[in-house]
């Protein structure tokens, strides 16, 4: 191959042929005008596909032929994403479209646009795909670096992927309470996008009790004393969810006074 930017043009050498005073003719099997003469020739194929190249070496009345099969490929893949919008934590599958000859691909290095990469190797008749889970809200542009069997490479950029979902947060009316007293839990979650209202709240109080509410507040009475880690899981109108950290919202319940 003469130039990766021109996948149709190749240079051919007959320097492996033996004999002194040989003359060389080439037939590139590309229809009319596809013959050349000389020990080294450059030829531009008219189309992609399997090509049969025949070299004939002539010396006097003697001649010998060598046949070489090659694949001319002009790959121009595009990246597809299984979703242009996803909830944080969900997986998006990246794949290639407009693939003409899958076996011509060698290595694909995928990047999700968020700093994570995945290297896949081409095997069989299907170009491999990549799956990424996006942990944080934002807009990400994935890409893939492709190397081909002929040593050439190509970078392909995919469509932007918007990742969204609420950020769960809540407060309690107190962080320390006497056994048997009521604690009020108030939602402080932030929707994303702003118009995606939160529609479901699941409160886990840390004492093996939980409630599901349709509003952003709840009350709970702790009947046992101890230290409890409460959690909140919220779901928005798009079906996206988030859960508070188990290391936050520690509530201490003291024994009730006699």
């Amino acid at each position: 191959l003469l130039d990766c930017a021109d996948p149709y043009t190749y240079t051919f050498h007959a320097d492996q042929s033996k004999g002194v005073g040989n003359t060389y003719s080439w037939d590139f099997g590309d229809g009319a005008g596809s013959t050349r003469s000389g020990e080294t020739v450059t030829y531009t194929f008219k189309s992609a596909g399997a090509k049969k190249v025949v070299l004939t070496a002539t010396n006097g009345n003697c001649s010998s032929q060598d046949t070489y099969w090659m694949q001319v490929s002009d790959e121009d893949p595009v990246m597809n994403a299984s979703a242009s919008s996803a909830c944080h934590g969900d997986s998006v599958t990246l794949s290639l479209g407009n693939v003409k000859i899958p076996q011509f691909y060698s290595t694909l290095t995928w990047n999700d646009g968020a700093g994570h990469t995945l290297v896949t190797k081409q095997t069989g008749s299907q170009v491999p795909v990549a799956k990424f889970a996006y942990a944080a809200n934002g807009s990400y542009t994935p890409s893939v670096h492709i190397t081909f069997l002929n040593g050439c490479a190509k970078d392909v950029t995919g469509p932007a992927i918007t990742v969204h979902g609420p950020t769960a947060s809540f407060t309690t009316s107190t962080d320390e309470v006497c056994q048997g007293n009521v604690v009020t839990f108030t939602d402080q979650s932030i929707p994303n996008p702003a118009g995606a209202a939160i529609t479901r709240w699941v409160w886990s109080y840390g004492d093996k009790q939980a409630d599901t509410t349709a509003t952003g507040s709840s009350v709970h009475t702790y009947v046992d004393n101890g230290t409890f880690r409460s959690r909140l899981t919220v779901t928005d109108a798009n079906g996206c969810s988030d859960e508070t950290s188990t290391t936050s919202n520690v509530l201490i319940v003291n024994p009730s006074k006699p």
Side-chain angles (χ1 to χ4, degrees):
L1 181 64
L2 192 63
D3 185 353
C4 288
D6 181 6
Y8 293 96
T9 301
Y10 288 76
T11 297
F12 299 84
H13 304 277
D15 52 7
Q16 298 298 313
S17 302
K18 297 181 180 179
V20 178
N22 296 338
T23 59
Y24 301 97
S25 62
W26 304 79
D27 186 344
F28 295 101
D30 210 20
S34 63
T35 59
R36 298 288 186 274
S37 298
E39 183 175 352
T40 299
V41 298
T42 297
Y43 182 76
T44 299
F45 289 94
K46 300 173 185 177
S47 62
K51 305 296 180 180
K52 180 183 179 181
V53 180
V54 179
L55 168 64
T56 302
T58 303
N59 193 323
N61 294 324
C62 299
S63 64
S64 178
Q65 284 189 339
D66 185 29
T67 300
Y68 174 69
W69 282 94
M70 62 178 291
Q71 183 71 51
V72 176
S73 180
D74 183 16
E75 292 291 327
D76 190 24
V78 295
M79 182 186 290
N80 300 318
S82 60
S84 61
S85 179
C87 299
H88 56 220
D90 285 355
S91 293
V92 176
T93 299
L94 306 178
S95 60
L96 291 183
N98 196 37
V99 173
K100 301 169 186 174
I101 306 174
Q103 295 84 351
F104 195 63
Y105 290 66
S106 178
T107 302
L108 299 91
T109 303
W110 306 83
N111 190 307
D112 67 351
H116 305 101
T117 58
L118 176 67
V119 178
T120 59
K121 298 284 187 179
Q122 169 62 23
T123 58
S125 60
Q126 298 293 326
V127 173
V129 301
K131 184 179 289 187
F132 291 99
Y134 289 89
N137 292 341
S139 180
Y140 303 95
T141 302
S143 61
V144 62
H145 179 76
I146 307 166
T147 58
F148 299 99
L149 291 180
N150 63 359
C152 294
K154 179 169 287 190
D155 292 303
V156 178
T157 299
I161 298 171
T162 301
V163 179
H164 52 82
T167 300
S169 178
F170 69 95
T171 60
T172 56
S173 56
T174 180
D175 56 9
E176 189 169 355
V177 68
C178 291
Q179 181 181 1
N181 285 1
V182 172
V183 178
T184 300
F185 296 79
T186 304
D187 179 46
Q188 298 291 323
S189 301
I190 302 172
N192 182 299
I198 296 173
T199 58
R200 188 171 184 262
W201 292 260
V202 178
W203 308 88
S204 298
Y205 304 113
D207 60 351
K208 299 182 180 181
Q209 301 297 315
D211 285 321
T212 299
T213 64
T215 60
S217 65
S218 182
V219 294
H220 182 65
T221 301
Y222 285 88
V223 297
D224 297 317
N225 62 287
T227 300
F228 302 96
R229 298 181 184 276
S230 50
R231 291 180 297 169
L232 171 63
T233 302
V234 294
T235 304
D236 67 14
N238 292 324
C240 299
S241 298
D242 191 45
E243 182 180 85
T244 56
S245 168
T246 57
T247 61
S248 60
N249 303 104
V250 177
L251 182 68
I252 298 174
V253 178
N254 297 311
S256 57
K257 297 180 180 180

